[in-house]
Every structure is written in C-alpha cells, then in structure tokens.
Amino acid sequence: MTDPRHAHDTDNGRYYTDPAGGPDLVSVTNVLDTSVNKTRSLMPWGVKVTLEWIFEHRMEVARRAITDRDELTKQLKQIHRDVRDKASDLGTLIHHAAEKRLLGAPFAVDREVAPYLAQLEAFLGFWGVDIDKHVEAAEITCLHRRLGYAGTADLMIWLPTGEGRALELWLIDFKTSATRSAKAVYPENTQQLAALRYCETVLLPDDTEQPMPEIQRTGVLNLRAKSHALVEMPAGRDAHRAFRGALVNALWHHAAPSSYPALLAPDQPVPARWRNFRKVA
C-alpha cells in the first residue's frame, strides 16, 4: 500500500485529511477492504504458502512437532502474514519508483524493483508514450466530498486507443504480484477505478484543486517481474453504484459499537465481572 500525503491510518483503516478543512474522507481501498469478502481467495493462498514452507523445512517441522510444538504452531500461523507484508512492502516500493519515473524525477532503482520497472518501461515503449506529452498525472489524490471518500489515482495517461488511434484519457491502477498471472484481476478492481473516475475534484501538489478530468477508459496495469498486461475494466456508472453501496456498508461498520450490553432477566443476579448490562424493566 502506498502512503499518499493526506492519508492517515485510524482504528477503522485509512482515511484522508481534507486540506480544505472538512471532515475526514474514507479511502477507497478502505471501503473495499471492509466490504468485500476476500476469504475465498486469501484462505487458499494462506494455506498454500504455509504448506510450501512446511515442505521446504519438513525435517525441522518433524523435529519441532515433538520438541517445540507451541512455538512451531505460532511460527506457522505467522508465515502467511510475513509473506503478505513482504509483498505489500515490495508493492509500495514499485509504486514509488513508477511515480518517480512517470514524473521524470530522479530515483535509485532497488534490485527487487528493477524487473517490475523494466516491465513499466516496456509498456511505455509499446504504446509510444512520451511522459512529457502523454502523462496527465501520477499518484494524484481524488476527492468526492459529497459522498465522503477519497483515493489516489496511480496514473492518468493518454493512449492511442480511440478510432484511428486517437488519444483517449485512461485512468490506470497498478497491481503487482510475484505469483499471479499478468492477466489476473479481481472484480473489486472495477469498483476501485469507478470510485476514482467519478470523484469531483483532484488535488494538485500545492493542494489547489481542479475538477476531475473526464476519463474515457479505465484499466489495471499488472506489473510482474517478467511480464505485464493492461487489462481494461468496465468501471462505469453501474460499478460506481455498487461502490456506493459498499461505501454505506463500510461507514456503518466503522461507526458501529464494538460491543453491546447483555440483557438480564428481572431477577437474574449480575455476574461479578460484568460491567456492561441492563435489566428488563
């Protein structure tokens, strides 16, 4: 996950501070993380990476299953979290390097990032992109104050995809992975792009505002170590309506109490350790 300038973490996930002084705005990714059930994809992945570690360390696992069972169990439960965090950190580095490249700013290329950046260069080359002419914005904050959310667009870029190779303005989100196919996307990627596409304003680096540009097409640019793919996503008004439903759901969850009082019968004694209760009148 990247770290946009106005974003900050809360007990309910990431929110954006409004530089104009209004209420904080929930982030687009926070909405989707709260509302989209990823168990079907994350649980098999977590089992897979844990099993791979067990197979690679099978002699150690066999020994510690007898001599150090509790600590081994803790370590096995942590494996998928460590892999996830490492992938997230790499993704952040790749996003930062891509932003610098697209803005023409100097930067050092980390060894792990270099293969992914090479795929970004290949994408730019295949599409004939001149970053000075065709890159409209990179890592730009988009706001929808009326609905109460904000997000960061990875890239707005002109590509020759129109009739007769006319230039069209694309909104593109970068996705990185060391294992997934370059063609693989998730349905919620469409909602993420739609949420950004239909924002009201964008923030410039000096915090001045401009209306959100009219986006003509949207897609995910999957960057892999040895390949890349631009996958067009149908982020239209229907996807934005779906996101708005997820937004209502997420905000409800963020505002909901974490506990509720237990209900006791009129003559039921209060357990000594209870502090949060009420009796039937």
Side-chain angles (χ1 to χ4, degrees):
M1 181 179 290
T2 57
D3 51 353
R5 187 158 54 94
H6 293 290
H8 61 278
D9 292 328
T10 73
D11 291 340
N12 289 311
R14 172 173 286 183
Y15 275 69
Y16 282 75
T17 301
D18 186 347
D24 283 357
L25 307 168
V26 64
S27 84
V28 171
T29 52
N30 186 358
V31 169
L32 296 174
D33 286 345
T34 302
S35 297
V36 177
N37 181 7
K38 298 183 179 180
T39 305
R40 286 179 296 177
S41 59
L42 291 181
M43 185 176 292
W45 170 83
V47 172
K48 177 177 179 291
V49 297
T50 303
L51 285 174
E52 288 174 346
W53 190 94
I54 291 173
F55 294 151
E56 292 173 2
H57 301 82
R58 55 190 177 277
M59 298 304 293
E60 176 189 348
V61 170
R63 174 180 55 80
R64 292 179 60 193
I66 299 172
T67 63
D68 192 22
R69 191 184 187 95
D70 290 344
E71 287 302 315
L72 174 62
T73 300
K74 291 179 183 178
Q75 184 174 353
L76 293 177
K77 291 168 68 175
Q78 184 63 31
I79 286 171
H80 74 282
R81 299 185 183 95
D82 293 340
V83 173
R84 178 197 61 199
D85 291 346
K86 183 178 179 181
S88 177
D89 292 343
L90 177 59
T92 298
L93 291 174
I94 294 169
H95 273 75
H96 285 323
E99 176 188 7
K100 297 291 186 182
R101 171 66 183 93
L102 292 166
L103 295 178
F107 64 98
V109 181
D110 184 272
R111 180 176 59 85
E112 288 186 294
V113 172
Y116 297 87
L117 200 61
Q119 292 302 317
L120 175 61
E121 293 289 354
F123 164 78
L124 298 175
F126 286 141
W127 286 98
V129 172
D130 181 329
I131 61 172
D132 294 325
K133 295 180 180 178
H134 300 139
V135 173
E136 189 75 13
E139 288 290 321
I140 188 167
T141 299
C142 308
L143 309 178
H144 202 309
R145 291 190 177 94
R146 181 171 55 85
L147 293 180
Y149 73 84
T152 299
D154 288 340
L155 179 62
M156 296 180 191
I157 189 170
W158 295 93
L159 296 178
T161 52
E163 185 176 354
R165 297 190 178 182
L167 293 176
E168 294 181 307
L169 186 58
W170 280 72
L171 171 65
I172 290 177
D173 192 68
F174 300 141
K175 300 296 182 186
T176 61
S177 174
T179 57
R180 300 190 78 218
S181 163
K183 296 184 292 183
V185 294
Y186 292 110
E188 58 266 27
N189 298 152
T190 306
Q191 293 184 30
Q192 179 184 3
L193 287 162
L196 296 171
R197 178 181 192 173
Y198 296 113
C199 277
E200 298 170 320
T201 59
V202 295
L203 290 181
L204 301 182
D206 62 358
D207 285 346
T208 58
E209 300 180 19
Q210 287 187 359
M212 180 73 183
E214 184 176 349
I215 300 297
Q216 293 163 284
R217 299 175 80 162
T218 59
V220 168
L221 177 57
N222 283 322
L223 296 175
R224 307 296 187 250
K226 296 182 179 180
S227 63
H228 72 273
L230 175 61
V231 182
E232 185 168 10
M233 306 293 286
R237 288 291 182 182
D238 57 337
H240 191 237
R241 283 193 295 272
F243 172 79
R244 291 173 68 170
L247 173 64
V248 171
N249 179 64
L251 293 177
W252 184 92
H253 277 279
H254 294 175
S258 59
S259 64
Y260 296 86
L263 184 65
L264 299 179
D267 299 322
Q268 181 179 353
V270 180
R273 298 174 63 182
W274 284 22
R275 295 292 181 268
N276 188 22
F277 70 94
R278 64 186 177 91
K279 286 194 174 184
V280 174

